[in-house]
Amino acid sequence: MADQKIKKIIIVGAGPSGLILAILLAQSDIPVLLLDAALVPNDNPRAAHYAPSSVRELRRCGVLAEVQQEGFIPEGVCWRKPDGEVLGGIKSDPSNPDSMVCLPLDRLILILLRRLGELANAELRWGWNVVGVKGTEEGDREASVTAVVKGGEKVVEKADYVVGCDGANSSIRKCLFGDSYPGETLSSQIIATNVFYDFHRFQYWDSQFIIHPTDWYMAAKITPSGLWRVTYGDIPGLTTEQYLERQEMRFEQILPGHPKKGEYRVVNRSPYKLQQRCVGQMRKGRVLLAADAAHLCNPFGGMGLTGGIADISTLFDCLLAIHTSLTTDAILDKYSEVRIKKWKEVIDPSSRANFRRIWDEEEGVRREREEYLERCRTMESNVELRKVIFASTYMLDEDMTPYFTKPTS
Ligand SMILES: Cc1cc2nc3c(=O)[nH]c(=O)nc-3n(C[C@H](O)[C@H](O)[C@H](O)COP(=O)(O)OP(=O)(O)OC[C@H]3O[C@@H](n4cnc5c(N)ncnc54)[C@H](O)[C@@H]3O)c2cc1C
């Protein structure tokens, strides 16, 4: 049988997706070199909630117990009016081993970094800005990256495969496809903040969406010590400075108790544009893309990293099957096809619907919102419906074994 063993994989980007892939590969005796342009991990307010499908991957990485211990399992999510009235909600089931877990991404990254440090097959280099990639032609027998390191020196590293996990502005994606990232930037503007404020005083659940045409927002507790993520909307077209200046006024307008400066403590804030985008191909020769480097969606409903980790899960299964001669590297074309289909059929439509549900008063959206909230109310007393809805959270997973083709000798 042909020797398919993988000798080395280069992963570009030590964000959550790159780190999880590196851990899964290194644990399976596949050597990895992880390169990141930054000198320290990113600590902007981003992901905090990890869905059941991601929980399973954290378990496969050997970090779930630590994540659960440092984070917590939210009691549930609800939708409410600005006056506080609850319109419907979904309670979580802490007895389920895959229950959603909550921990700010910067802390998850530290746990993943510690785990990676325990693995002999993994090497991580900070301050390696990857600017070029080769190995994109069919028939190429190896891949390589060119990185600019401290002092401006250019260094080339070679491997069997290169995986671009380098986020929304991926240089690997740009090397493959230029500046084109198919999709759209939504007109809405969001500001994500991390804030200490006692929402439980207003009978707030651990997570909620407040429905209003202009004063919509999400408020979710993200640490057991009472740090909350408040992500709210503002008028489009202002500068970052203007959004940050308006934050106190917006909090007083929209939050329960209409707090003034000094009645809460903001520890982090960052305006974001919302993107719905996906590449047309996640593989070119020996170069692959995953997670934000390959697709983006708005954060309402937490489909961003959830979709990214689902890519990593599928990609790892494929690479391991190549390494152990269960299939040929043609499986990587299937990886690309399957993950793009999941984005088009699940991630894009459901993340758009999650977002529009909290502000759009258009007739069709109002109807969908009513039906959705009615389903939530029914679920409270209907165990069977709860099971069906919970099972649907694994929709992003794909069993790749039916696509395996035995290598010929
Ligand atoms: C406000 C907000 C809230 C969110 N909440 C959730 C949530 O609750 N649940 C959820 O699932 N998702 C959520 N998301 C989405 C989630 O944060 C992202 O999908 C996730 O961070 C993407 O991870 P990644 O590893 O693909 O990319 P990134 O986290 O962006 O990491 C990319 C890494 O690549 C490195 N890099 C970049 N360019 C280069 C280069 N040229 N060379 C080398 N390295 C490079 C960067 O330094 C970085 O370390 C949220 C996003 C936002 C904005």
Side-chain angles (χ1 to χ4, degrees):
M1 196 160 288
D3 179 18
Q4 310 242 335
K5 273 200 178 305
I6 296 173
K7 292 173 197 72
K8 179 172 164 189
I9 292 184
I10 293 176
I11 300 171
V12 182
S17 61
L19 284 166
I20 291 174
L21 181 60
I23 292 168
L24 292 171
L25 291 169
Q27 280 178 169
S28 304
D29 290 328
I30 302 178
V32 280
L33 173 61
L34 191 52
L35 303 174
D36 199 289
L39 297 176
V40 287
N42 184 333
D43 66 352
N44 273 333
R46 298 189 298 160
H49 293 87
Y50 311 105
S53 53
S54 304
V55 165
R56 283 207 311 217
E57 296 312 309
L58 295 175
R59 184 181 294 112
R60 275 217 280 186
C61 287
V63 297
L64 180 61
E66 209 180 331
V67 173
Q68 285 170 333
Q69 200 178 358
E70 218 179 291
F72 69 103
I73 295 175
E75 61 168 354
V77 56
C78 71
W79 286 259
R80 41 172 97 231
K81 290 184 182 172
D83 67 8
E85 184 191 340
V86 175
L87 301 167
I90 305 170
K91 290 274 184 194
S92 53
D93 172 9
S95 68
N96 187 311
D98 291 351
S99 254
M100 170 182 277
V101 64
C102 181
L103 181 72
L105 185 55
D106 52 332
R107 298 201 196 174
L108 173 68
I109 286 178
L110 294 182
I111 293 175
L112 293 170
L113 284 170
R114 277 200 295 275
R115 174 72 188 127
L116 190 77
E118 294 167 1
L119 301 170
N121 277 324
E123 187 189 352
L124 166 58
R125 296 180 197 162
W126 295 104
W128 280 58
N129 181 17
V130 174
V131 294
V133 68
K134 283 191 179 156
T136 56
E137 301 300 324
E138 218 180 301
D140 278 343
R141 298 179 70 85
E142 66 176 10
S144 67
V145 293
T146 304
V148 177
V149 297
K150 276 174 237 160
E153 187 194 350
K154 281 193 173 177
V155 183
V156 175
E157 283 285 346
K158 293 179 181 171
D160 296 296
Y161 296 98
V162 169
V163 185
C165 291
D166 48 345
N169 294 314
S170 167
S171 64
I172 299 295
R173 186 188 65 243
K174 287 175 188 165
C175 290
L176 299 186
F177 306 118
D179 283 334
S180 150
Y181 197 175
E184 63 169 325
T185 303
L186 305 183
S187 58
S188 308
Q189 174 72 46
I190 62 163
I191 295 89
T193 63
N194 286 353
V195 56
F196 284 101
Y197 183 56
D198 186 5
F199 285 91
H200 283 323
R201 184 155 62 92
F202 305 95
Q203 284 72 53
Y204 267 41
W205 289 24
D206 282 348
S207 301
Q208 46 262 290
F209 296 100
I210 284 63
I211 298 174
H212 188 273
T214 54
D215 291 348
W216 47 267
Y217 65 97
M218 185 210 73
K221 190 170 92 169
I222 55 171
T223 66
S225 65
L227 184 65
W228 287 68
R229 165 72 44 76
V230 174
T231 303
Y232 61 94
D234 207 338
I235 43 180
L238 304 183
T239 62
T240 297
E241 290 69 32
Q242 286 169 320
Y243 286 122
L244 300 183
E245 249 170 51
R246 286 167 59 83
Q247 176 254 300
E248 286 166 15
M249 184 266 292
R250 291 294 286 147
F251 270 21
E252 191 172 341
Q253 271 175 347
I254 65 178
L255 297 192
H258 304 287
K260 294 196 176 351
K261 185 183 173 186
E263 296 180 55
Y264 54 80
R265 184 160 62 90
V266 172
V267 294
N268 221 329
R269 49 189 197 163
S270 189
Y272 289 99
K273 294 304 288 180
L274 302 179
Q275 317 266 358
Q276 302 290 140
R277 297 185 185 277
C278 184
V279 290
Q281 250 175 291
M282 286 170 68
R283 174 203 188 165
K284 224 174 164 192
R286 289 179 172 267
V287 182
L288 299 133
L289 292 172
D292 275 20
H295 46 75
L296 296 171
C297 68
N298 77 74
F300 290 86
M303 301 291 288
L305 185 52
T306 305
I309 293 178
D311 288 352
I312 295 302
S313 170
T314 306
L315 181 55
F316 166 67
D317 291 343
C318 293
L319 290 169
L320 182 62
I322 295 169
H323 184 64
T324 51
S325 302
L326 288 176
T327 190
T328 67
D329 102 333
I331 192 69
L332 296 173
D333 291 329
K334 205 70 194 171
Y335 157 75
S336 169
E337 188 189 316
V338 160
R339 297 318 314 171
I340 290 172
K341 193 160 179 271
K342 293 281 183 193
W343 186 86
K344 288 188 175 154
E345 292 179 1
V346 184
I347 298 174
D348 187 44
S350 60
S351 61
R352 283 177 192 267
N354 288 338
F355 182 42
R356 292 186 70 174
R357 197 175 294 134
I358 64 174
W359 56 266
D360 199 337
E361 289 302 315
E362 193 250 313
E363 186 47 37
V365 181
R366 280 165 69 120
R367 218 180 16 254
E368 189 275 344
R369 174 160 67 225
E370 272 320 307
E371 287 165 9
Y372 184 87
L373 294 171
E374 182 54 37
R375 261 202 314 279
C376 291
R377 291 188 288 266
T378 313
M379 225 162 63
E380 276 177 39
S381 54
N382 186 329
V383 179
E384 284 314 306
L385 183 60
R386 254 205 320 261
K387 280 188 189 154
V388 171
I389 303 276
F390 197 85
S392 73
T393 59
Y394 297 107
M395 261 158 63
L396 290 179
D397 293 349
E398 180 89 16
D399 174 11
M400 298 301 283
T401 52
Y403 308 119
F404 287 178
T405 45
K406 267 274 179 221
T408 48
S409 47

